[in-house]
Amino acid sequence: MLPIFKGSEVAAFLGRRRRRWSLQQQELRKTVEEILEAVRREGDAALRRLSRQLDGVEPQPLRMPAEYLQAAWRDLDPALQEAIDGAIARVRRFHEAQRPTSSWIEPEPGVLLGQRWTALGRVGVYAPGGKAAYPSSVWMSVIPAQVAGVLEIALASPPDPTTGRVHPLVAAVAWRLGLEEVYAVGGAQAIAALALGTDSIRAVDKIVGPGNAYVAAAKQLLYGQVGIDQIAGPSEIVVLADDTARADWVLADLLSQAEHDEQACAVLITPSEPLAQAVQRELWRRWPNLERRAILERSLRQQGACLVVEGLREAVAVSNELAPEHLQLYVADPWSVLPYVRHAGAVFLGPYSPEPIGDYWAGPSHVLPTGGSARFASGLSVWDFLKRSSVIAYDQEALARAAPFVIRLARAEGLPAHAEAVQARLTEPCP
Amino acid sequence: MLPIFKGSEVAAFLGRRRRRWSLQQQELRKTVEEILEAVRREGDAALRRLSRQLDGVEPQPLRMPAEYLQAAWRDLDPALQEAIDGAIARVRRFHEAQRPTSSWIEPEPGVLLGQRWTALGRVGVYAPGGKAAYPSSVWMSVIPAQVAGVLEIALASPPDPTTGRVHPLVAAVAWRLGLEEVYAVGGAQAIAALALGTDSIRAVDKIVGPGNAYVAAAKQLLYGQVGIDQIAGPSEIVVLADDTARADWVLADLLSQAEHDEQACAVLITPSEPLAQAVQRELWRRWPNLERRAILERSLRQQGACLVVEGLREAVAVSNELAPEHLQLYVADPWSVLPYVRHAGAVFLGPYSPEPIGDYWAGPSHVLPTGGSARFASGLSVWDFLKRSSVIAYDQEALARAAPFVIRLARAEGLPAHAEAVQARLTEPCP
């Protein structure tokens, strides 16, 4: 369990990780295409039927009554209410600092260029659920949208198999955030309903939030028709540690990722082979008393690794290659390593910034790019719920100055009507 | 040709436009999946074979020699060189004003939160081509990437059927922008090569730039494995005009969009039925002398419309419903209308800002959201080539303050190892 790799084994491990993900996606696509087609054709009836088949329960009803949401919050342990309110306040504050402003430049006389930011109109948030529940996903997805100024937010989350309702914790958080539209529907069928619309659920402009592989495949197939935040894969952590790190804390960090599910990936990268060995010993020591061992065993054995490298420079290079969702810099001087980090969804600095502080509390959304997509993508943020319109305003003289060049370029591309739209505005013909 | 719709016909037109696009996508998917699979399995050999089959020519060679690119620029008409240089300078200047800066907040003692922007490592740019060539797409896609700080940019563009090489105009602009990697490969196979890599083309992190429906389908299927800018559909313009607008200029603007291809969509929205009729008369008057009439006839008849509405308020509402790629505000006071525009890729204000000024010259990228995706997406920009990493740094005391809440939330989600990763750091056990 949690194998140690050194030298050329490190490169082999990196290669295996990069190849796996795409293959999984393809296998699911066919199943998911059928689900999308069913929702497209049959609407709400398909949602009920698929829920019976896949979740083992019919939503009771599809849209959660306000009384249910309110009661879910009211019945919550006050200590938990306090924790949720604390997290909501911090996440809101962080995202309020993130709002961009529209801006204008006047690059030459008579020319005004701008970019206007406007909020999306209607957004769908998916929150995983079913037997377990991840209420933190609700605040981590909804708050950036609210701060951006999105007015309509529809939340979808799978029905609990025993009640046919959204998990009480998800319902409670939805109520606390002021959501009114909460639907007890999950999986690919929820994504289809949000993207395509049914009689009960109006189509949204963009769908965000993590989900399982079916949710991911549905988001991919519907992208274009609707915006999506990302195609989420399994969760990942890289703990980059040197010999100043305590093995028991490193192990605790790796376990906190590995316990998510069997696909979760926890990797230690260290120049210190003694640390890697100490982490392994610590794992054996704690093993008999750990919870969720079935999941831990699979994820540590199949996805996890301790990569022993030459030095911190190589450690960062290997981490950049993995482009992890979470990167913990647990080294003597994390601030001196940070500038070399090129690809990571979120970076946690020093011994007192364990990853769960970001999962629930600190401020940035925990919806982060997975599966190596931190190479090209960012975590969920206010920007996901805004779009820019370019603005171009020329006056008559500025157009006349630009005209000969624009006409020349349009003609070179073989687009005469482009040239003519400019030419028509000139009082003098353009050579 | 260019039918006039009023009253309930306007809603019917809007409904038709929203439904069409998704169906097109599905039909192509199977063909494109086969192309992707061929490139995945056979690499460069598949590229050569597919090029023979689909473009009617084999790339000569796959990677364009530097001498070919340089000669393409050298042999260009100096007047065209001057126009290209003028455009490049303006587009660069606009995007330089767009660079965001990393930022930090200290929301409470001992807590530092930040967002670091880093550039993508390696990007692929697709430039449509073949018989026609759109060199402007090259500078409109490449410059935002260069300004963002992307170091490696690979350009792919279909081979000219007669020479097997990238169109000379595309090659010339690539040279002028300092690109070294230019590949004569187009269509879905180009996207597959950029995303998956072959012996000759190293895989990129993100693919941007417009392309035909095959390119769009390939980008969708590979999204996740690689970043993409958007799934481009046919080009669109809405001219929103009142009775101060000249019918001949309005028509010129509609034609400049309609000439792109048969799927291009040119729509006039106006409260003035006399203007709509005058635009139609103007069309008949100019018709015998127009170029590209086969394309114009199809796109105007099938995609185009003059929508006659009640007033400017309804005009803007209808435009927001269409969420057009280009919106021209050709009204008496365009600045008073702009605040009501919610969804548009780029907005052109007043009589002297015809859309081609933005296609070639003004500054913002002309790679814009199409097919109604301006509801949730923005034009290509520096942001497409940057990603944010969240940064979280807690000190010992700050973690101790947060710990009881984080532990409570982790336990509520049934994730004991999350709680333990925090608990382990506390000198006193947490209740």
Side-chain angles (χ1 to χ4, degrees), chain A residues 406-407 409-411 413-424, chain B residues 134 235 252-253 255-260 292 326 354-357 359-360:
Chain A
V406 176
I407 289 169
L409 292 165
R411 287 192 181 140
E413 289 196 349
L415 295 172
H418 280 61
E420 174 57 23
V422 174
Q423 181 71 65
Chain B
Y134 301 103
S235 204
D253 298 338
L255 293 178
S256 77
Q257 196 63 23
E259 75 171 341
H260 270 295
R292 294 168 78 90
H326 308 100
E355 186 264 353
I357 199 90
D359 279 345
Y360 296 107

Side-chain angles (χ1 to χ4, degrees), chain B residues 43-53 57-59 62 185 200:
Chain B
D44 290 334
L47 297 185
R48 278 191 290 269
R49 179 167 54 76
L50 289 162
S51 222
R52 266 201 317 276
Q53 284 171 13
V57 66
E58 252 193 49
L62 195 56
V185 58
S200 302

Side-chain angles (χ1 to χ4, degrees), chain A residues 6 37 190 195 214 242 259 275 279 284 330 337:
Chain A
K6 295 186 274 193
E37 200 42 44
Y214 290 88
D242 61 15
E259 76 171 339
L275 177 68
V279 169
W284 292 120
Y330 187 178
V337 174

Side-chain angles (χ1 to χ4, degrees), chain A residues 332-353:
Chain A
D333 183 3
W335 292 99
S336 72
V337 174
L338 183 62
Y340 299 94
V341 173
R342 293 184 57 201
H343 314 301
V347 190
F348 298 78
L349 271 73
Y352 296 104
S353 307

Side-chain angles (χ1 to χ4, degrees), chain B residues 49-258:
Chain B
R49 179 167 54 76
L50 289 162
S51 222
R52 266 201 317 276
Q53 284 171 13
L54 303 170
D55 301 317
V57 66
E58 252 193 49
Q60 303 292 341
L62 195 56
R63 179 167 175 169
M64 295 291 100
E67 299 73 36
Y68 174 70
L69 305 178
Q70 185 173 19
W73 174 258
R74 200 189 50 219
D75 297 345
L76 222 56
D77 173 5
L80 195 53
Q81 285 183 340
E82 190 194 358
I84 291 170
D85 279 344
I88 287 174
R90 280 166 181 78
V91 174
R92 186 160 281 146
R93 185 166 177 183
F94 180 82
H95 287 92
E96 275 167 358
Q98 218 175 38
R99 271 186 293 218
T101 47
S102 299
S103 60
W104 301 89
I105 59 170
E106 197 181 340
E108 52 190 293
V111 177
L112 209 56
L113 304 177
Q115 39 190 12
R116 276 181 81 228
W117 294 94
T118 50
L120 274 67
R122 181 170 164 80
V123 162
V125 172
Y126 186 81
K131 280 180 194 164
Y134 301 103
S136 57
S137 279
V138 181
W139 69 77
M140 289 296 187
S141 300
V142 167
I143 291 172
Q146 289 179 330
V147 171
V150 174
L151 292 180
E152 292 186 24
I153 300 175
L155 179 73
S157 193
D160 182 298
T162 55
T163 64
R165 298 198 152 193
V166 161
H167 193 286
L169 280 171
V170 168
V173 171
W175 176 259
R176 192 57 170 175
L177 292 169
L179 300 189
E180 290 170 2
E181 280 184 69
V182 178
Y183 300 98
V185 58
Q189 62 273 26
I191 305 303
L194 290 169
L196 307 169
T198 69
D199 286 343
S200 302
I201 306 181
R202 260 188 322 118
V204 301
D205 298 319
K206 183 168 183 169
I207 302 172
V208 305
N212 64 16
Y214 290 88
V215 167
K219 284 165 86 174
Q220 177 169 38
L221 290 169
L222 290 164
Y223 176 47
Q225 180 120 0
V226 72
I228 66 170
D229 54 340
Q230 59 158 320
I231 300 170
S235 204
E236 305 149 337
I237 196 171
V238 164
V239 180
L240 196 159
D242 61 14
D243 52 15
T244 66
R246 283 179 57 159
D248 55 344
W249 295 6
V250 170
L251 178 71
D253 298 338
L254 295 173
L255 293 178
S256 77
Q257 196 63 23

Side-chain angles (χ1 to χ4, degrees), chain A residues 121 215 274 376 391:
Chain A
V215 167
F376 54 81
V391 182

